[in-house]
Amino acid sequence: MEKINETTVTEFFLKGLSGYPKLEIIFFVVILVMYVVILLGNGILIVISILDPHLHTPMYFFLSNLSFLDICYTSTSIPPTLVSFLSQRKTISFSGCVVQMFLGLAMGTTECVLLAMMAFDRYVAICNPLRYSIIMNKIVYVQMAAGSWVAGGVNSLVQTILVVQLPFCRNNVINHFSCEILAVMKLACADISGNEFIMLIATTVFTLTPLLLIVVSYTLIISSILKIHSAEGRSKAFSTCSAHLTVVIIFYGTILFMYMKPKSKISPNSDKLQATDKLISMFYGVMTPMMNPLIYSLRNKDVKEAVKQLLGRKAFSK
């Protein structure tokens, strides 16, 4: 009974950019525009991947999953953040925070695993082109995509349950724009070393292991490309995986920048430094989903042709 009575927190206060009202207005407009671009860009990629028969391949199936994932990921945090920018009461209920934690971590984990699946697809396409249709048949790539979603959901469910079981009885101020799981965990009035250890294991399995698989895949891909004698052949082979490689570099680059940079020491300007870190974190959550459709559309002839045909049909129907 004592443990149950300790959990007295019913809502959390999201600090965000409190104390910077002018910045909140500016970033409301900026983030809103970026969110609209995310919805339109990723939405268009999903639509053309479904409507164009030429894009009914494993690569574009994974891409449409990635686009849907980016829409879901940003929709769990951006709308509440936009509301908080214009609201005086920047609070979220305990249950609402739990849902946001679960969805945010699930989407992030799923993207890590899905990017590894996409790297394997590119490896098979370039290193084993004659057996590609046999290895990457519909059953296999659907199971690979489903496995990515299941892995993200299971990891997030376990981590969220462990955090919910912690007692929250003192501080309820989350120094972030949303209920980021680590930020919430640190508010617990109990020893969280066990939670941190389990999260470290989960990070190794679902973040670093996919990154290792991506590195191995692209090492083999580059080695295979270099063995191609003609410059045109090398260029064509590399173009089939350059967009995915660019997305991986942006995604993991921002993660490494955020979580492996030296922590700022406490100083008279520590509030400003914390505000800067939070803004970088927010743009990381928005920039990658916004860049993905742009990268795939600008660097992919098939997508360009599909967009032209779709627009041409609409123009003709009018």
Side-chain angles (χ1 to χ4, degrees):
M1 287 298 293
E2 284 184 13
K3 189 172 183 180
I4 295 174
N5 290 334
E6 283 177 357
T7 309
T8 57
V9 172
T10 58
E11 64 179 11
F12 291 100
F13 175 80
L14 298 171
K15 191 173 182 181
L17 285 177
S18 298
Y20 302 91
K22 292 183 179 179
L23 277 179
E24 286 187 322
I25 300 300
I26 294 172
F27 283 104
F28 172 84
V29 176
V30 174
I31 299 301
L32 177 60
V33 171
M34 294 174 75
Y35 183 51
V36 172
V37 173
I38 289 169
L39 295 179
L40 290 176
N42 287 287
I44 290 172
L45 270 181
I46 293 172
V47 170
I48 63 174
S49 295
I50 294 172
L51 296 181
D52 194 321
H54 297 95
L55 302 185
H56 292 175
T57 64
M59 175 180 169
Y60 294 103
F61 177 77
F62 286 129
L63 178 56
S64 60
N65 270 264
L66 182 64
S67 294
F68 180 68
L69 178 66
D70 285 337
I71 291 174
C72 294
Y73 178 70
T74 52
S75 296
T76 62
S77 58
I78 292 181
T81 299
L82 292 174
V83 172
S84 70
F85 279 150
L86 302 180
S87 175
Q88 294 295 323
R89 184 175 172 80
K90 306 177 188 299
T91 58
I92 183 171
S93 66
F94 187 88
S95 58
C97 190
V98 171
V99 171
Q100 199 174 79
M101 269 194 302
F102 169 76
L103 293 175
L105 183 57
M107 298 300 110
T109 303
T110 301
E111 183 152 0
C112 290
V113 180
L114 187 62
L115 288 173
M117 297 298 101
M118 295 174 74
F120 177 77
D121 171 68
R122 292 299 84 207
Y123 158 74
V124 177
I126 293 174
C127 298
N128 294 281
L130 298 179
R131 299 185 60 206
Y132 179 72
S133 59
I134 299 174
I135 296 173
M136 295 299 296
N137 60 69
K138 188 173 183 179
I139 295 176
V140 171
Y141 67 73
V142 169
Q143 288 178 341
M144 289 169 66
S148 301
W149 286 93
V150 171
V154 170
N155 175 51
S156 184
L157 182 63
V158 171
Q159 301 296 333
T160 304
I161 289 175
L162 291 174
V163 171
V164 170
Q165 290 180 342
L166 293 170
F168 296 90
C169 49
R170 297 189 186 96
N171 187 10
N172 71 332
V173 179
I174 299 175
N175 193 18
H176 212 278
F177 293 101
S178 61
C179 289
E180 199 270 334
I181 193 164
L182 282 174
V184 175
M185 190 191 302
K186 291 176 181 177
L187 299 181
C189 49
D191 181 20
I192 61 170
S193 58
N195 295 71
E196 291 178 328
F197 178 71
I198 294 174
M199 183 161 285
L200 177 63
I201 294 174
T203 301
T204 302
V205 173
F206 295 109
T207 303
L208 298 182
T209 300
L211 177 60
L212 177 62
L213 293 174
I214 291 170
V215 171
V216 171
S217 295
Y218 274 101
T219 300
L220 296 173
I221 287 171
I222 293 172
S223 175
S224 180
I225 290 175
L226 292 176
K227 292 178 182 178
I228 299 175
H229 298 294
S230 67
E232 183 181 352
R234 287 195 298 269
S235 177
K236 185 177 180 180
F238 185 74
S239 66
T240 64
C241 60
S242 59
H244 175 257
L245 184 58
T246 304
V247 169
V248 168
I249 291 172
I250 293 174
F251 180 76
Y252 275 100
T254 49
I255 289 178
L256 295 175
F257 175 78
M258 280 303 304
Y259 293 102
M260 299 191 72
K261 66 186 179 65
K263 299 296 181 182
S264 304
K265 295 181 179 179
I266 297 174
S267 67
N269 295 321
S270 60
D271 286 343
K272 292 183 178 180
L273 290 172
Q274 287 181 1
T276 301
D277 287 345
K278 285 185 284 186
L279 287 173
I280 293 173
S281 176
M282 180 175 64
F283 275 107
Y284 151 69
V286 178
M287 189 62 69
T288 305
M290 186 182 73
M291 293 298 295
N292 286 354
L294 295 176
I295 292 169
Y296 275 101
S297 60
L298 292 175
R299 302 181 65 87
N300 194 297
K301 293 181 180 179
D302 292 334
V303 173
K304 289 180 182 178
E305 288 298 321
V307 172
K308 287 180 182 178
Q309 289 180 10
L310 183 62
L311 294 175
R313 287 175 189 170
K314 288 186 177 181
F316 182 76
S317 62
K318 291 180 180 180

